[in-house]
Amino acid sequence: MHKESELRPPLILGDKTWHDITEDVCRPVESKANKWWWLAFSLAVAALLWWIVAVSYTLGTGLGVWGLNKTVGWAWDITNFVWWVGIGHAGTLISAILLLFRQKWRLSINRSAEAMTIFAVICAASFIVTHMGRPWVAYWPIPLPNQFGSLWVNFNSPLVWDVFAISTYFTVSLVFWYTGLIPDFAVIRERATTKWRKRIYTLLSFGWVGSAKNWQRFEEVSLVLAGISTPLVLSVHSVVSMDFATSLVPGWHTTIFPPYFVAGAVFSGFAMVQTLLIIVRKVLGLEDYITIYHIDMMNRVILITGSIVGVAYLTEFFIAWYSGVEYEQYAFINRATGPYWWAYWSMMTCNVITPQLFWSTKLRESVFATFIISIFVNIGMWFERFVIIVTSLHRDYIPSSWTMYHPTWVEAGIFIGSLGLFFTCFLLFARVFPVIAMSELKTIIKSSSEGAKKKHAKTVTQEVNV
Amino acid sequence: MGHHSHDIEVTSTSPYEFKSRNRMIAGAMIIIGVIAIAAQFATHHEQTWANLLMNNFMFLAFGLGATFFLALQYVAEVGWSTVIKRQLEAIGLVLPVAGVIMVLIFFFGGSHLYHWMDVGITDPKAANYDKIIAGKSAYLNAPFFWVRVVLYFCIWSYGIRILRKNSLLMDQGNSTAIWKKTRRFSCGFLVLFAVTESTMAWDFIMSIETHWYSTLFGWYTFAGIFILGLIGLAFTVTYLKSKGYLQEVTEHHLHDIGKFIFAFSIFWTYLWFCQFMLIWYSNIPEEITYFMLRQDHYRGLWLGSFFINFICPFVILMSRDSKRKPRLIMAMCILLFIGHWFDTYIMVIPGSMVNISHHAVEGSAMVFGTITWMEIGTTIGFLGLLIYLVQHYLSKAPLVIKNDPLMEESLHHAI
């Protein structure tokens, strides 16, 4: 029999019944959008239009419209790619690893975190396709017979590993997310009052009837998918880091990269989850489900992963000195004091110093402080990738080819536009999908809700009195 | 539902009884170790100091891994593991002893083990001047090294001391306040642990091959330390249960310990592979020498450690049932001990033997590590010491904390 300590705060506030949860979660789906949603959506779509313009211009004209040069051959494109892939990691960590660790607080946030993962991976993939310059041959990294026009892929290349890592990641995340959605879609289907809503959600819910057999299969599939997703949390960003670490470029070739990239990815992912959920809980009135305790727990993850990232920064810096390799040493001195010093110190401030503020319980439990710090972390993690990529490249082994990198409006457009793409997807998600995994959340109402805890405390007191 | 919950109660209210038979066995193992070490000194065995370092490092790793895991239980507010905290404490309490032995090893054997401690190596006028080592001397110099060594063991020993003290206080009641205090203390401990563990790995092991460097080395070492702490825990718990102790620990708890061993064996493999693959792939002379030495002269142990530490737990512990069988878990612990013995051997011995060869008379052949009765005897001795101390500490306090505020969750743990 399950038992929960009194030390554990409730995960659902207010005396909620099962029906209350259904009502609260379905309300946004069943009602009309308010003007704030339309305003946000218009902004997102406007940014998305810029993305379409910038991408079309790039593909129509060629990669020359970007600020890349022969010394700095990778810059914003891969920075953005790694940034987006990293953001996706929180969803997988929440749904897979927190499931294995039996962290019940994941239940209020897993749905939107997983949605965020999927949209973030789509944004990431868009950078790979655009930086190829010729998307019509984007299938070339896939090992297809030579008749298709490309040469057989080079399996020694980490870029090919990346293709497999990211596509596996996307597929598993999508299946995991969708599996969780099925019972919730069925709930909306049952409640549907209009013909089209009924039809659409019938289609989406795959004939779910909520029988014991349905649930048993659901549980089994969830566990198997969690098992598959767990190594993916580590492998995806490890492979991404190997794009750099297998090279001979000082600042890129370092063995700590795989686990350090993973920690950084989880760090940035949780920051993005905070940014989104703080708005979502307010706008959709879900404060009873995404409570201060949830925010606190996520802030703890941010503090821990931020500290791991900090230790990794210092380790890299120290070992660069310790190695005695002149190039390695210069790469790090140049990062901190060279022409890109501002990027380096932005990264250090945002990623190492700001999360340390979360040692304060008061700040961890402050919605406002969390929101601000989460934005700082988002910015810091973008700069981290920029620093790794651009500062390592711009001063290579031959000083005569040293140069700077200047982004163009096209690159800025693709980056801002990818944010537009992301938010367009997320805002649509928040309108038509249940943003909280209500069926799963209902499983803890008897153990972890405020109502259940009050009832339990009352029983205990009565017993003591008897 | 909830009101029948106090049916299960803590029954392990007395300590472990350290019987004379077990004392004899542990004592005999220690004597074997002393003989093996004495024989090494008597025969001027080249590997002596390296053997001592390697074995004491593993001894230390048990204590450090257990202490880390114990502190983590408080920080992460873990419920299920409450009934096994005392076992973690007993293993963690070996840290001060490991510290004393380590200090002795460094004091008498440091100059045999560490190339950078050689006289004149940083002096440009000396015949054995080494420019690269001289470049590292701001960190690798004897005074700073000693400061660090003393600091590490003080921090770790203090950590386990306070964790133990607070746990004993919880036996006496008013536990929630103490538990909260311990959680706070554990946060601080883990921060210091995160820093000292990495630098310790550089100091004790990475600096043996002074030219070589790897940013991942500290974390890789951590993965091994953690596994040793976990198998120490699993073995202690299953042993105690087999002797009729710890009725509170069920197959559900064993299952969770098994999951940790399974997951972190894969984590160890992941780091092993990252470190190896990235160095192999780039093939830079400064780095690749490390693996060439191991591949050319220690291939069996090098690959053996990879296979035992990865394939065995992966295949055997994959199924749910296997993690719930005490005898199988015990066998897994022994297997992983051997695997991590190989791993520690591969980390310590090859480089040490190169240093020994440097010290040998000019023109003499390169010496390589061997595994003879002396090496195995040394390990038996250190294991004897570990077994003795853990049983000793288990016999000093009740086997389960009495009033831990999360105890109910652990007693009712079912998965």
Side-chain angles (χ1 to χ4, degrees), chain A residues 154-168:
Chain A
N154 181 4
F155 279 104
N156 290 342
S157 164
L159 301 176
V160 172
W161 311 341
D162 234 359
V163 172
F164 290 104
I166 305 286
S167 51
T168 311

Side-chain angles (χ1 to χ4, degrees), chain B residues 10-317:
Chain B
V10 173
T11 48
S12 300
T13 47
S14 55
Y16 168 76
E17 193 191 340
F18 193 1
K19 293 206 174 100
S20 57
R21 186 173 156 270
N22 285 17
R23 278 179 206 274
M24 295 264 288
I25 294 171
M29 288 171 78
I30 295 172
I31 290 167
I32 292 172
V34 171
I35 293 170
I37 294 164
Q40 292 178 53
F41 279 112
T43 58
H44 300 286
H45 187 48
E46 282 107 344
Q47 220 173 309
T48 312
W49 289 110
N51 282 339
L52 287 170
L53 174 64
M54 169 198 161
N55 282 288
N56 193 54
F57 183 80
M58 287 189 82
F59 179 60
L60 160 73
F62 275 102
L64 201 55
T67 309
F68 163 77
F69 196 50
L70 179 62
L72 192 65
Q73 304 311 303
Y74 287 102
V75 172
E77 301 168 1
V78 181
W80 71 270
S81 65
T82 315
V83 289
I84 52 169
K85 277 183 188 162
R86 280 280 151 85
Q87 285 66 55
L88 286 168
E89 287 164 19
I91 304 167
L93 282 165
V94 307
L95 276 175
V97 181
V100 170
I101 299 174
M102 204 56 116
V103 166
L104 290 174
I105 292 171
F106 290 153
F107 188 76
F108 294 106
S111 55
H112 298 271
L113 288 165
Y114 301 113
H115 192 34
W116 58 267
M117 282 192 183
D118 292 354
V119 179
I121 197 124
T122 58
D123 177 8
K125 291 184 211 88
N128 65 341
Y129 174 67
D130 185 318
K131 198 178 162 215
I132 295 173
I133 294 180
K136 305 184 189 214
S137 61
Y139 182 77
L140 291 179
N141 61 73
F144 191 23
F145 177 77
W146 278 107
V147 168
R148 294 196 301 271
V149 170
V150 172
L151 210 61
Y152 299 155
F153 285 102
C154 286
I155 291 170
W156 302 334
S157 304
Y158 181 72
I160 187 63
R161 223 185 114 95
I162 299 294
L163 290 174
R164 172 69 157 194
K165 197 184 111 198
N166 290 355
S167 142
L168 292 176
L169 280 174
M170 273 195 254
D171 278 349
Q172 293 158 12
N174 185 27
S175 57
T176 306
I178 300 164
W179 180 85
K180 283 188 173 156
K181 222 171 80 181
T182 316
R183 184 183 58 178
R184 194 176 276 254
F185 176 81
S186 299
C187 286
F189 177 77
L190 286 188
V191 170
L192 291 176
F193 173 84
V195 178
T196 52
E197 188 281 325
S198 273
T199 53
M200 172 275 282
W202 305 337
D203 290 338
F204 295 2
I205 299 182
M206 198 167 87
S207 81
I208 293 173
E209 276 147 286
T210 317
H211 283 200
W212 186 74
Y213 56 89
S214 165
T215 42
L216 187 52
F217 197 80
W219 293 0
Y220 169 69
T221 308
F222 161 75
I225 288 173
F226 190 30
I227 289 289
L228 287 174
L230 285 172
I231 62 169
L233 169 73
F235 198 89
T236 310
V237 168
T238 41
Y239 176 79
L240 287 173
K241 268 194 82 65
S242 76
K243 295 289 161 197
Y245 293 100
L246 280 182
Q247 291 306 314
E248 297 88 344
V249 176
T250 64
E251 56 179 8
H252 301 290
H253 298 94
L254 213 54
H255 187 170
D256 272 347
I257 300 173
K259 279 187 208 164
F260 267 101
I261 296 176
F262 175 77
F264 281 88
S265 287
I266 297 171
F267 181 70
W268 175 89
T269 313
Y270 160 65
L271 296 183
W272 187 99
F273 179 75
C274 288
Q275 182 164 274
F276 167 69
M277 192 278 285
L278 290 175
I279 288 174
W280 167 81
Y281 197 111
S282 299
N283 206 14
I284 297 174
E286 286 90 337
E287 296 176 347
I288 196 69
T289 46
Y290 182 86
F291 285 108
M292 282 177 73
L293 176 64
R294 280 147 181 85
Q295 191 182 299
D296 292 348
H297 298 285
Y298 302 88
R299 183 172 290 201
L301 285 170
W302 179 60
L303 292 176
S305 104
F306 180 74
F307 281 103
I308 298 176
N309 294 329
F310 173 48
I311 305 289
C312 291
F314 186 74
V315 173
I316 298 169
L317 292 183

Side-chain angles (χ1 to χ4, degrees), chain A residues 1 3 5 8 102 156 158 238 242 246-248 253-256 258-259 300 315 318 321-323 325 463, chain B residues 3 5-6 77 79 135-136 202 213-216 256 270 277-278 281-282 287 406 408-409 412-413 415:
Chain A
M1 183 180 51
K3 183 93 172 77
S5 164
R8 313 249 182 237
R102 301 190 289 267
N156 290 342
S238 296
M242 286 167 191
T246 50
S247 72
L248 299 175
H253 175 67
T254 170
T255 50
I256 207 170
R300 290 185 202 192
T315 302
F318 174 78
W321 167 79
Y322 178 91
S323 73
V325 179
E463 273 181 19
Chain B
H3 47 274
S5 54
H6 49 263
E77 301 168 1
K136 305 184 189 214
W202 305 337
Y213 56 89
S214 165
T215 42
L216 187 52
D256 272 347
Y270 160 65
M277 192 278 285
L278 290 175
Y281 197 111
S282 299
E287 296 176 347
L406 294 175
E408 285 280 295
E409 286 190 7
H412 293 86
H413 180 51
I415 43 171

Side-chain angles (χ1 to χ4, degrees), chain A residues 43-317:
Chain A
L43 278 173
V45 171
L48 177 59
L49 289 175
W50 191 7
W51 183 81
I52 292 169
V53 170
V55 168
S56 310
Y57 183 56
T58 302
L59 299 180
T61 317
L63 285 186
V65 301
W66 291 3
L68 301 174
N69 51 57
K70 65 183 165 49
T71 306
V72 185
W74 267 2
W76 274 33
D77 45 0
I78 302 300
T79 300
N80 296 332
F81 160 72
V82 182
W83 189 67
W84 278 119
V85 173
I87 284 170
H89 272 59
T92 328
L93 187 104
I94 290 167
S95 46
I97 293 192
L98 295 190
L99 174 102
L100 296 179
F101 278 110
R102 301 190 289 267
Q103 297 297 304
K104 291 185 200 161
W105 57 273
R106 79 178 192 282
L107 292 171
S108 299
I109 54 171
N110 61 354
R111 172 67 45 76
S112 34
E114 284 171 35
M116 182 198 79
T117 296
I118 288 158
F119 306 143
V121 177
I122 292 172
C123 290
S126 76
F127 285 97
I128 294 304
V129 174
T130 47
H131 103 304
M132 287 173 167
R134 291 182 288 165
W136 48 94
V137 290
Y139 61 90
W140 278 9
I142 299 164
L144 293 169
N146 287 2
Q147 293 92 311
F148 283 90
S150 77
L151 291 175
W152 185 245
V153 295
N154 181 4
F155 279 104
N156 290 342
S157 164
L159 301 176
V160 172
W161 311 341
D162 234 359
V163 172
F164 290 104
I166 305 286
S167 51
T168 311
Y169 181 53
F170 182 73
T171 312
V172 173
S173 301
L174 188 67
V175 173
F176 205 173
W177 183 58
Y178 198 85
T179 311
L181 276 163
I182 290 173
D184 289 359
F185 280 149
V187 172
I188 302 176
R189 173 195 68 197
E190 296 307 314
R191 292 164 55 91
T193 45
T194 61
K195 196 172 111 193
W196 274 103
R197 188 181 295 159
K198 185 111 188 158
R199 276 190 186 172
I200 290 167
Y201 286 98
T202 304
L203 207 65
L204 289 173
S205 58
F206 285 5
W208 177 272
V209 289
S211 65
K213 202 69 199 167
N214 276 174
W215 278 110
Q216 185 225 336
R217 286 183 176 136
F218 177 87
E219 295 279 332
E220 265 173 37
V221 168
S222 301
L223 198 64
V224 169
L225 286 174
I228 299 173
S229 301
T230 304
L232 281 175
V233 176
L234 291 158
S235 69
V236 176
H237 232 60
S238 296
V239 172
V240 169
S241 81
M242 286 167 191
D243 292 344
F244 308 101
T246 50
S247 72
L248 299 175
V249 177
W252 283 11
H253 175 67
T254 170
T255 50
I256 207 170
F257 255 25
Y260 142 55
F261 263 51
V262 172
V266 173
F267 178 56
S268 68
F270 268 86
M272 188 57 102
V273 173
Q274 292 281 37
T275 313
L276 292 175
L277 285 187
I278 283 174
I279 300 170
V280 165
R281 74 194 278 276
K282 181 88 195 149
V283 174
L284 302 184
L286 295 171
E287 283 103 333
D288 285 343
Y289 303 99
I290 302 163
T291 67
I292 298 296
Y293 179 69
H294 289 87
I295 291 173
D296 177 21
M297 292 311 267
M298 286 192 273
N299 283 337
R300 290 185 202 192
V301 177
I302 290 176
L303 172 60
I304 292 162
T305 48
S307 302
I308 293 174
V309 167
V311 168
Y313 287 164
L314 298 178
T315 302
E316 274 194 305
F317 217 110

